[in-house]
């Protein structure tokens, strides 16, 4: 891939299992990864429940792939999405795929694409099966892509307390084989967190950036050396003080 070109991505959306409310946040997130060259969405757009998507398809240049629901309980949309994904994969034109669904039907598709040496980025709700989440190089919860709802609205996604991220951060630091009490680069910790857990995201814990999350936990020291990268370490117990 030429250095002056962003990764070319194929974005495939399962409309049956994805809310139209995430559209703006979804494509903003995808823009951080690369260029959404193909944008397709699958579902029965004659159904009234698809009105939310029908209203925004043009604004995001998403091409609808109509699948009429002639019978209930059938997954014609999923099958069409998989067929299209394999056709696009074998075209050799794409550097990555963005699979947008909370369904349990796509772990094998994600695995097959990655076997070909192509990255897969998954997007879905927290209810998404772990098998799909872990099959992706990175998985982003769509609750983190919803617009800020404000304190008066009950639709705001519930965030986990920052303290809940501490075990993951500690495990990432351990896997980096850092000596106890030593400083480690925050960027390297972030990379290891992604390797450790494909769905790790500071926004899940109410923080926009990893540095904000680390600071909120109150468990780590953080420093910004002049001319160097941000570093963190586990706070040391004061001498003579025993753990409770």
């Amino acid at each position: 891939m030429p250095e002056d070109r962003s990764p070319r991505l194929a974005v495939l959306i399962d409309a049956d299992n994805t809310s139209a409310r995430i559209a703006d946040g979804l494509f903003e997130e995808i823009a951080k990864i690369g260029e959404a060259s193909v944008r397709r969405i699958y579902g029965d757009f004659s159904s009234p429940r698809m009105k939310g998507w029908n209203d925004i398809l043009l604004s995001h240049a998403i091409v609808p792939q109509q699948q009429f629901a002639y019978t209930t309980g059938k997954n014609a949309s999923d099958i069409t999405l998989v067929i299209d994904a394999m056709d696009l994969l074998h075209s050799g034109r794409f550097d990555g795929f963005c699979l947008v669904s909370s369904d349990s039907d796509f772990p094998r598709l994600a695995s097959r694409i990655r076997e070909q040496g192509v990255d897969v980025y998954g997007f879905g709700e927290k209810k998404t099966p772990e098998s799909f989440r872990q099959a992706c190089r990175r998985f982003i919860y769509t609750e983190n892509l919803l617009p800020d709802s404000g304190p008066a609205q009950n639709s705001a996604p519930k965030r986990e307390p920052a303290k809940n991220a501490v075990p993951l951060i500690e495990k990432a630091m351990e896997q980096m084989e850092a000596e106890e009490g030593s400083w480690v680069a925050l960027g390297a910790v972030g990379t290891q967190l992604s390797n450790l857990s494909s769905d790790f995201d500071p926004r899940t814990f109410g923080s926009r950036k990893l540095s904000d999350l680390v600071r909120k936990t109150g468990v780590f020291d953080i420093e910004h050396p002049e001319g160097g990268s941000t570093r963190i370490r586990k706070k040391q117990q004061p001498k003579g003080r025993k753990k409770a």
Side-chain angles (χ1 to χ4, degrees), residues 208-229:
R208 190 170 62 88
K209 300 184 298 184
L210 179 58
S211 57
D212 295 336
L213 174 59
V214 169
R215 191 174 290 107
K216 278 184 181 180
T217 66
V219 174
F220 304 93
D221 292 321
I222 184 167
E223 70 168 14
H224 310 275
E226 187 175 350
S229 58

Side-chain angles (χ1 to χ4, degrees), residues 16-219:
D16 293 329
N17 288 281
T18 306
S19 168
R21 294 177 58 227
I22 71 160
D24 291 341
L26 172 67
F27 284 100
E28 286 176 12
E29 191 73 18
I30 291 172
K32 299 175 186 177
I33 303 169
E35 174 192 348
S37 301
V38 166
R39 307 177 180 202
R40 298 181 186 175
I41 188 167
Y42 302 79
D44 181 6
F45 297 96
S46 65
S47 170
R49 65 189 184 87
M50 291 294 181
K51 185 179 185 304
W53 280 113
N54 286 329
D55 291 343
I56 62 172
L57 293 177
L58 285 177
S59 63
H60 288 287
I62 310 172
V63 180
Q65 307 295 306
Q66 172 65 33
Q67 296 296 315
F68 290 102
Y70 294 115
T71 58
T72 59
K74 301 299 182 183
N75 57 351
S77 296
D78 293 354
I79 293 171
T80 305
L81 188 156
V82 171
I83 292 172
D84 279 6
M86 296 310 294
D87 285 344
L88 293 169
L89 173 65
H90 290 299
S91 74
R93 295 184 291 118
F94 298 93
D95 306 300
F97 281 72
C98 297
L99 303 180
V100 188
S101 178
S102 303
D103 205 340
S104 61
D105 292 340
F106 300 114
R108 185 66 187 104
L109 174 62
S111 298
R112 179 63 186 85
I113 294 172
R114 293 190 71 186
E115 287 172 4
Q116 201 73 17
V118 178
D119 290 331
V120 176
Y121 302 91
F123 297 80
E125 297 178 7
K126 289 186 178 180
K127 68 180 182 181
T128 304
E130 185 177 7
S131 56
F132 180 34
R133 288 187 277 119
Q134 296 305 325
C136 300
R137 176 186 173 184
R138 186 174 171 225
F139 192 89
I140 297 95
Y141 289 125
T142 52
E143 286 90 344
N144 291 328
L145 305 180
L146 291 170
D148 293 334
S149 302
Q153 299 186 26
N154 294 325
S155 57
K158 185 178 180 180
R159 307 295 184 188
E160 295 184 36
K163 289 276 189 183
N164 290 349
V166 171
L168 270 174
I169 298 172
E170 289 180 336
K171 187 171 184 179
M173 294 173 71
E174 289 172 8
Q175 291 185 346
M176 294 169 65
E177 298 183 353
E179 293 184 10
E180 187 174 351
S182 63
W183 291 99
V184 294
L186 182 62
V189 173
T191 299
Q192 189 61 30
L193 281 166
S194 296
N195 293 336
L196 179 64
S197 180
S198 64
D199 57 356
F200 179 82
D201 190 330
R203 291 171 296 187
T204 302
F205 304 93
S207 299
R208 190 170 62 88
K209 300 184 298 184
L210 179 58
S211 57
D212 295 336
L213 174 59
V214 169
R215 191 174 290 107
K216 278 184 181 180
T217 66
V219 174

